[in-house]
Amino acid sequence: MKGFKTAAVSFAALLLSLTLTGCVGKEPNEIAYIVALGIDMSEGNNYEITIQYANPTEISGGEEGGKAGSAIIENISVQAPNLYAAIGLANKIVSKTFYLSHARIIVVSREVAEKGLRDITETFIRSDDLRPDIYLAVSPDGANEYLSAVKPAMEVNPAKYYQLVYDKNSFMGIPAGSAKDFFFGIETKNFDSFLPIAGVVGNGEGDEETGEDKSSGGEETGGLGESSSSENEGGGDDMSDKNTKQSEAPENERGFEYKMKDYVGGQAAIELKNKSESMGSAIFEGDKMVGTIGSIEGQMFKLLMGDYKYSYITVFNEQTPEEPVTLKMIQGKKPRYDIDIENKKINVDMFLEGDVSSLPADYNIESDIEAFQKSSEKYIGEDCERFMSDFIKTYDSDTFRLKERCKRKFLTNKSYDEFKESVNFKEYEVSVNVNFKIRRTGLVMREEE
Amino acid sequence: MLQRKEMTALLINVISLKMLLTFPRIFIINSANAAWIQALYNTLVVFLIFFATTKLYRGNKNVIQLAEMAGGKALKILVGMTVFAVLLINFSSVVRIFPESVKSVLLQNFKIEAIVVTFVIAIAIGAYIGLAPVAKVNYLFLPVAGAVLLAFLLLLIPYYRFSNIMPVFGKGYGAIFGKGFNTVSLFSDILFLNILLPHCENAGEARKSGVKALVIGAGISVIILLGYCLVYPYPASKEFIIPVYQLARIIHLSSFFSRFEALFQFVWSILVLLYSSVYVYTMCYVWQITFNLKFYRPLIFPVVLISSVIAMVPNSMLDLIGTEETKSLIVYPIAFLLPIIFGAVSRRYYGEGRRKDESDERI
């Protein structure tokens, strides 16, 4: 018996030492890590799928450090009916095996988004490789175009680049775009989603290469607003670092984000080398894209959803009508929704705080702080109310999650489902009240004159 | 002989482990976002059953031994085989579900047969070592698993959405309190306490272990279901095969902490191995006392073989999960009724009262 035990223990030790010291399956240097996927329409029922993968030999640069820009990523495009078929095909083209667990974003073209993303969400939700928090974004310029334009100038890790860009933007005017939330929306039918717009900056050189279709994203900019567009003469052919699409973005003349341009992805001037950017939001009804909103309305949407966190905003000031006051606005508390089903009323109470960041030099805000707070409350409230009301009347998209907010009024799913089927929020009256407080005035506090 | 704390830890493992596999899905399908209320209701029911059983039960003989006392060898064999069948039905699901889950999430390129063989070898070794060492390791490991579960629930806080558990009664009162009665099978492994009664110091200690294990096991089940319902809205929540794994995948704290499932898979694997070792040991023990065998170890190989063969009968994971609910419907009435019936029988032999037999029957 003792001999058997010794043999068993020896066998176990040998088994462990042989099996636990190596990688199961592939060695890391045999794997190509996908960081982004792009999906465009193609001929027939196929998609053109762009696989963007990290180039590890350029990322780890030894003592000199890794490279940046286009050197750290490679793109490969194949035509296939879905993501995994494309990866299977691409595996035959490159020496390494593609691996999806580091993929950070799936970019779809506008055509694909308008056709519907149900099949794509079905793929990622079944996949163990793709993470549930992978970002989804819509590119009006085409997914391949966007991924080809991505040249991270300040990052050596391309997956990190997408994470930083889309996490940072989640603080401001674009939605978080989590694939998991998008899936929840279309599966439960409790709400609809917004996804970020991933655009390509149009400079003279780029426009020549890609034709004139690239401006399609800008056509619907500020679709809900009444902003007036101002002419921008700056985008000349002789200035290759200028963005010609910038002139298409309308300038906002309303109180909230006064004098700011209402951009969607591809319209703002950005880094000289990296022509990709993310701004504005694509509106979805179920799994289908039905429109876009710009960065200003995107900020209002985040404010109304309580996802704003903080950012800098400009507010119209009656004392200095030519120049706005810039505030660092913080949303300390989620807005409170009161939906009166019987009287068909939606009441939203928002709670905001702000620090004064910048204002005209000859204006003494300290002497006028109460009035400024009141006027800011009025402008922010009016603009958010107008946006929400127009949005609900324009689209059948419940991106404000109004149905979900009514859930607590019902005891069982059956009664809630009946309500969901019958409710028409277009008939509801929207009212937004803002509670806004200036907390700090920077490092300066001027005395009253 | 097992100490009370070891028996308690062992029972917590056997009760709660199902919640780490596919069992939460049965609750969700039945009651939707009110699955956690159903688990609370099941807890109440099982406590009533447990207290009824302990009121009736006398002595520290298990149902098989009492069957022999009441009806001779024939009844003993009938009861012994019934208990064995109940344990086998329960266990064969785990023998298949766990390796299938490992294949889906960890070893996608491995053959399922290879994973099953490795798994059963590991549990056979555990059963060979014996109940006491496995119970001791389980007792040491359970706090680690508890800490991981706690960290897991805390890390999920940013993902909780209160609206996901609304409307509060989900599919309705009928679904929760009517059809939902069947998921009391979650606690069917409390039968272990009865089978392993001779391994307890006395009936009183066993009773205390049972109460504590039911409270903690039920608490874990309710918390897991509540956490899952708070993160995943219905009907999306009913689509995932292994809900707890799905919760682990979702955790992502900025850029510095993600892929929590790696830690979960480690804890999960150890708990399943301990659970399975105890199961194999108990099945061998049932056979041993049913047929008055001197040793249980020669039974390990055939028991493991039978379990593996039965586990491989369903053609796919789809077939396997399809039979899960039916299996639990067969198992739980037997698991709860046998101790009640033989509890009544035990009064004939140990009728002088619980307090007295607790002091007299010390081993």
Side-chain angles (χ1 to χ4, degrees):
Chain A
M1 198 62 194
K2 197 181 171 189
F4 174 75
K5 274 188 182 169
T6 312
V9 170
S10 306
F11 174 72
L14 192 68
L15 191 72
L16 288 175
S17 55
L18 288 174
T19 54
L20 293 182
T21 49
C23 299
V24 176
K26 295 269 174 212
E27 294 290 334
N29 60 4
E30 294 170 359
I31 293 168
Y33 293 99
I34 297 173
V35 290
L37 290 156
I39 306 172
D40 290 288
M41 291 302 287
S42 178
E43 294 152 11
N45 288 326
N46 276 0
Y47 293 111
E48 186 181 326
I49 293 171
T50 306
I51 299 166
Q52 185 174 80
Y53 58 101
N55 188 350
T57 53
E58 299 295 340
I59 292 171
S60 53
E63 285 179 10
E64 292 173 6
K67 290 183 181 172
S70 59
I72 62 169
I73 41 179
E74 298 284 345
N75 291 339
I76 182 169
S77 289
V78 288
Q79 288 191 1
N82 58 51
L83 287 178
Y84 275 97
I87 289 162
L89 194 60
N91 271 330
K92 292 169 188 153
I93 300 167
V94 298
S95 58
K96 297 188 181 193
T97 306
F98 284 114
Y99 193 54
L100 272 166
S101 71
H102 289 265
R104 294 303 302 150
I105 188 167
I106 299 175
V107 184
V108 296
S109 70
R110 189 190 184 101
E111 292 75 33
V112 174
E114 283 171 348
K115 192 183 161 202
L117 302 183
R118 176 113 204 159
D119 293 346
I120 294 162
T121 53
E122 185 65 24
T123 303
F124 84 75
I125 213 73
R126 280 180 187 275
S127 165
D128 184 56
D129 299 341
L130 289 166
R131 309 294 301 170
D133 55 355
I134 191 170
Y135 303 112
L136 282 177
V138 177
S139 178
D141 305 291
N144 179 281
E145 192 82 12
Y146 172 76
L147 292 179
S148 303
V150 171
K151 292 180 177 64
M154 297 168 78
E155 287 300 324
V156 289
N157 178 348
K160 184 90 176 169
Y161 168 77
Y162 288 114
Q163 188 179 330
L164 288 175
V165 166
Y166 286 87
D167 267 356
K168 187 170 70 182
N169 275 338
S170 74
F171 282 76
M172 297 180 288
I174 66 158
S178 150
K180 154 181 74 69
D181 289 334
F182 188 83
F183 165 73
F184 288 164
I186 59 174
E187 195 64 23
T188 62
K189 297 186 176 74
N190 287 344
F191 60 90
D192 296 296
S193 299
F194 270 137
L195 290 182
I197 291 180
V200 180
V201 173
N203 61 31
E205 195 184 329
D207 282 347
E208 278 170 28
E209 283 173 7
T210 56
E212 292 179 2
D213 281 354
K214 290 203 296 180
S215 62
S216 57
E219 285 169 6
E220 289 188 34
T221 307
L224 294 170
E226 294 164 9
S227 313
S228 63
S229 181
S230 69
E231 290 298 318
N232 185 336
E233 304 293 337
D237 292 333
D238 56 337
M239 298 169 80
S240 61
D241 58 331
K242 286 278 184 181
N243 184 0
T244 52
K245 284 187 195 173
Q246 205 172 14
S247 59
E248 294 163 9
E251 191 174 281
N252 186 37
E253 296 292 345
R254 288 188 165 271
F256 176 76
E257 289 288 33
Y258 181 59
K259 294 277 184 198
M260 289 294 289
K261 285 204 150 205
D262 195 12
Y263 292 117
V264 292
Q267 289 183 324
I270 54 156
E271 293 169 28
L272 182 61
K273 287 178 185 168
N274 187 0
K275 305 294 180 197
S276 65
E277 67 177 13
S278 185
M279 276 192 185
S281 313
I283 307 158
F284 279 79
E285 282 174 18
D287 69 326
K288 291 182 176 60
M289 179 180 161
V290 291
T292 58
I293 56 168
S295 55
I296 295 174
E297 285 168 332
Q299 290 202 63
M300 285 190 244
F301 170 71
K302 290 189 87 79
L303 279 170
L304 287 160
M305 294 300 288
D307 297 335
Y308 186 81
K309 294 179 185 170
Y310 70 86
S311 186
Y312 294 95
I313 63 149
T314 54
V315 183
F316 175 74
N317 178 29
E318 283 150 7
Q319 308 301 318
T320 58
E322 290 304 311
E323 287 183 72
V325 173
T326 306
L327 306 167
K328 182 185 178 184
M329 196 162 74
I330 302 152
Q331 189 166 34
K333 207 165 127 184
K334 293 241 175 204
R336 192 169 54 218
Y337 278 73
D338 181 15
I339 302 173
D340 185 345
I341 296 171
E342 277 186 18
N343 297 313
K344 300 193 173 180
K345 281 184 179 165
I346 301 164
N347 188 56
V348 187
D349 292 321
M350 287 203 298
F351 307 92
L352 304 170
E353 299 174 4
D355 298 346
V356 177
S357 300
S358 171
L359 68 163
D362 53 352
Y363 174 54
N364 185 341
I365 196 167
E366 288 84 352
S367 61
D368 199 23
I369 201 88
E370 286 292 326
F372 179 73
Q373 275 179 181
K374 287 275 172 224
S375 69
S376 297
E377 278 179 355
K378 181 176 149 248
Y379 292 128
I380 297 169
E382 275 178 4
D383 283 5
C384 286
E385 187 176 297
R386 177 193 56 83
F387 164 65
M388 190 172 174
S389 184
D390 288 356
F391 187 94
I392 290 170
K393 285 184 171 57
T394 310
Y395 297 104
D396 289 322
S397 174
D398 183 19
T399 41
F400 292 103
R401 298 185 179 222
L402 299 173
K403 288 179 197 160
E404 197 182 64
R405 292 178 202 279
C406 292
K407 273 173 122 182
R408 67 185 67 188
K409 295 179 190 286
F410 300 91
L411 282 176
T412 63
N413 288 355
K414 195 177 169 217
S415 53
Y416 171 64
D417 288 343
E418 284 166 5
F419 163 77
K420 246 184 0 182
E421 294 300 317
S422 62
V423 70
N424 181 8
F425 285 114
K426 287 182 198 293
E427 296 167 357
Y428 281 54
E429 189 187 313
V430 177
S431 144
V432 178
N433 309 304
V434 177
N435 187 320
F436 180 64
K437 288 273 175 289
I438 295 282
R439 297 286 184 206
R440 284 159 287 269
T441 53
L443 297 178
V444 173
M445 196 164 84
R446 292 205 177 104
E447 290 298 314
E448 282 186 49
E449 286 168 12
Chain B
M1 194 62 54
L2 298 182
Q3 292 177 31
R4 190 172 85 197
K5 59 189 181 184
E6 290 164 358
M7 178 54 90
T8 308
L10 203 140
L11 289 173
I12 293 169
N13 186 350
V14 292
I15 290 170
S16 317
L17 191 107
K18 288 196 217 76
M19 295 307 288
L20 302 183
L21 296 168
T22 54
F23 214 75
R25 195 168 166 269
I26 298 175
F27 280 86
I28 303 283
I29 288 171
N30 188 63
S31 300
N33 41 299
W36 63 281
I37 299 178
Q38 189 182 327
L40 275 176
Y41 161 64
N42 290 159
T43 307
L44 189 71
V45 171
V46 84
F47 264 104
L48 291 174
I49 296 171
F50 186 75
F51 283 116
T53 312
T54 51
K55 276 273 178 203
L56 288 170
Y57 222 92
R58 298 286 182 269
N60 70 338
K61 294 267 188 283
N62 64 28
V63 288
I64 302 165
Q65 291 162 324
L66 285 170
E68 187 179 22
M69 290 163 81
K73 278 193 176 170
L75 186 62
K76 181 187 175 186
I77 291 171
L78 181 68
V79 173
M81 288 300 93
T82 308
V83 171
F84 184 80
V86 164
L87 297 178
L88 191 64
I89 290 170
N90 255 350
F91 182 57
S92 59
S93 297
V94 175
V95 172
R96 182 67 185 274
I97 288 171
F98 179 68
E100 286 281 1
S101 311
V102 167
K103 182 176 167 62
S104 302
V105 302
L106 281 173
L107 306 170
Q108 283 134 353
N109 298 326
F110 273 60
K111 283 194 168 185
I112 184 67
E113 292 81 1
I115 303 171
V116 170
V117 168
T118 314
F119 176 57
V120 294
I121 288 173
I123 55 181
I125 292 170
Y128 181 86
I129 291 165
L131 183 66
V134 172
K136 279 187 169 55
V137 173
N138 182 65
Y139 174 69
L140 290 173
F141 188 73
L142 214 62
V144 177
V148 171
L149 178 70
L150 189 68
F152 174 67
L153 293 167
L154 291 174
L155 288 168
L156 280 169
I157 287 174
Y159 302 94
Y160 293 151
R161 282 184 76 93
F162 187 66
S163 63
N164 287 345
I165 57 166
M166 295 287 144
V168 71
F169 289 109
K171 281 194 179 175
Y173 321 106
I176 299 170
F177 302 111
K179 206 180 163 202
F181 183 86
N182 291 331
T183 44
V184 79
S185 62
L186 169 69
F187 300 97
S188 61
D189 281 327
I190 195 73
L191 179 65
F192 265 75
L193 184 63
N194 185 284
I195 307 295
L196 298 176
L197 259 178
H199 289 75
C200 297
E201 289 178 45
N202 59 49
E205 291 291 289
R207 198 173 295 121
K208 284 174 191 164
S209 285
V211 172
K212 208 167 176 184
L214 281 177
V215 169
I216 297 172
I220 291 169
S221 306
V222 172
I223 286 171
I224 286 175
L225 280 169
L226 184 60
Y228 185 61
C229 290
L230 280 167
V231 175
Y232 282 82
Y234 184 83
S237 56
K238 72 173 179 186
E239 299 197 351
F240 298 103
I241 298 171
I242 314 165
V244 181
Y245 175 72
Q246 213 59 38
L247 281 176
R249 285 190 79 207
I250 224 164
I251 293 171
H252 178 89
L253 288 182
S254 188
S255 54
F256 56 86
F257 190 86
S258 63
R259 296 171 203 267
F260 187 82
E261 66 263 34
L263 191 57
F264 168 73
Q265 280 156 0
F266 166 72
V267 173
W268 188 38
S269 306
I270 304 282
L271 286 176
V272 173
L273 284 172
L274 290 166
Y275 168 93
S276 306
S277 300
V278 172
Y279 240 102
V280 171
Y281 171 84
T282 310
M283 284 197 283
C284 295
Y285 176 68
V286 167
W287 201 276
Q288 185 192 8
I289 55 171
T290 304
F291 296 102
N292 289 330
L293 302 174
K294 196 174 178 186
F295 301 109
Y296 80 91
R297 280 176 177 151
L299 298 169
I300 293 173
F301 179 69
V303 164
V304 160
L305 194 68
I306 293 168
S307 311
S308 313
V309 169
I310 293 175
M312 297 309 287
V313 168
N315 279 326
S316 63
M317 195 74 166
L318 207 66
D319 291 345
L320 179 69
I321 289 167
T323 59
E324 273 266 274
E325 203 173 348
T326 319
K327 280 180 185 173
S328 67
L329 282 177
I330 299 167
V331 164
Y332 86 84
I334 302 170
F336 291 126
L337 280 176
L338 275 181
I340 292 178
I341 294 165
F342 286 97
V345 170
S346 70
R347 297 173 80 89
R348 221 172 89 193
Y349 304 98
Y350 304 94
E352 56 271 31
R354 188 194 291 175
R355 282 180 192 279
K356 191 165 186 302
D357 70 52
E358 274 175 18
S359 53
D360 292 349
E361 292 279 329
R362 283 180 193 279
I363 299 169

